[in-house]
């Protein structure tokens, strides 16, 4: 293989990794979420244990007493397993208190941090799916 062909292959590889790396970082930017921690309590209706992010669907009563369905996102299943979670960590009917960063748009969506059972037992220390800590 001559030097030109090697340089072309290297340039293509660098370009591909640059583009894909940008997509991966952009995926984890959390500019659409508050930088402030909010604590919310709700009743779990579903726990979606699949990649790219485990999700908890839960109902919360708003200030007017109306029930609002929220979706909260954790990190990947592999990361959550390393934190001690399983597909059975949250079950429909569980009353859970979540630390969260909510969508700034007002949509009922959040990235989730620590979670506690109704009796105060800590379930997970915290997450915020990657790059949100320190923002």
């Amino acid at each position: 293989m001559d030097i030109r062909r090697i340089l072309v292959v290297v340039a293509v590889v660098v370009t591909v990794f640059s583009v894909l790396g940008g997509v991966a970082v952009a995926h984890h930017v959390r500019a659409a979420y508050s930088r402030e921690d909010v604590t919310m309590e709700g009743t779990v209706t579903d726990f979606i244990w699949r990649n790219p992010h485990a999700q908890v669907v839960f109902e919360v009563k708003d200030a007017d007493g109306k029930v609002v369905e929220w979706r909260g996102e954790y990190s990947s299943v592999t990361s959550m397993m390393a934190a001690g979670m399983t597909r059975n960590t949250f079950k429909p009917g569980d009353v859970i208190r979540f630390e969260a960063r909510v969508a700034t748009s007002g949509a009922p969506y959040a990235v989730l941090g620590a979670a506690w059972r109704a009796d105060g037992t800590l379930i997970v220390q915290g997450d915020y799916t990657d790059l949100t800590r320190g923002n």
Side-chain angles (χ1 to χ4, degrees):
M1 203 185 272
D2 69 1
I3 192 72
R4 277 189 238 190
R5 184 167 280 190
I6 291 171
L7 290 174
V8 168
V9 169
V10 168
V12 168
V13 169
V14 167
T15 301
V16 167
F17 280 109
S18 296
V19 169
L20 293 178
V23 169
V25 170
H27 170 80
H28 288 99
V29 170
R30 298 292 178 201
Y33 298 94
S34 168
R35 294 175 185 233
E36 301 298 318
D37 297 343
V38 174
T39 301
M40 52 192 352
E41 185 172 294
T43 303
V44 174
T45 59
D46 197 11
F47 183 39
I48 303 161
W49 185 252
R50 68 173 176 248
N51 286 319
H53 299 281
Q55 293 184 32
V56 183
V57 182
F58 55 102
E59 295 178 336
V60 176
K61 286 188 180 176
D62 68 11
D64 298 325
K66 179 182 164 194
V67 175
V68 178
E69 182 180 84
W70 279 77
R71 285 189 171 267
E73 179 179 293
Y74 276 112
S75 195
S76 69
V77 169
T78 305
S79 296
M80 299 321 296
M81 286 170 57
M85 291 175 65
T86 70
R87 68 176 58 256
N88 299 313
T89 297
F90 299 108
K91 296 179 197 77
D94 287 349
V95 176
I96 306 294
R97 190 174 82 240
F98 293 101
E99 181 182 75
R101 293 191 179 170
V102 300
T104 56
S105 68
Y109 200 87
V111 289
L112 300 174
W116 299 265
R117 298 205 181 282
D119 67 3
T121 304
L122 181 66
I123 299 169
V124 63
Q125 182 65 40
D127 181 57
Y128 289 122
T129 63
D130 304 322
L131 301 179
T132 57
R133 284 278 182 204
N135 287 344

